[in-house]
Amino acid sequence: MDNKAIIRYKFYLCRNFLDKLLHENLINEVQRQKIETAVIKRITEV
């Protein structure tokens, strides 16, 4: 797998997990957006 595919897969897993937390009302939409932004930044740094 190339690096871009790995990054896309990690982001896909993260987004699914955040969607699940949002659906279960464990986080709200603002928290989800902040976490997603931080994860994108972190994934692209590595």
Side-chain angles (χ1 to χ4, degrees):
M1 291 182 104
D2 64 13
N3 224 12
K4 286 185 178 185
I6 293 170
I7 289 171
R8 280 195 303 266
Y9 183 67
K10 286 180 181 179
F11 181 68
Y12 168 79
L13 291 176
C14 172
R15 180 167 264 174
N16 282 350
F17 181 68
L18 291 175
D19 285 344
K20 182 179 178 181
L21 292 178
L22 183 65
H23 180 70
E24 294 177 2
N25 294 321
L26 296 173
I27 61 174
N28 61 35
E29 183 62 34
V30 173
Q31 290 172 316
R32 181 190 179 283
Q33 290 173 354
K34 286 180 181 179
I35 294 168
E36 188 174 295
T37 301
V39 168
I40 291 169
K41 185 177 179 182
R42 177 74 178 169
I43 288 174
T44 56
E45 285 177 355
V46 175

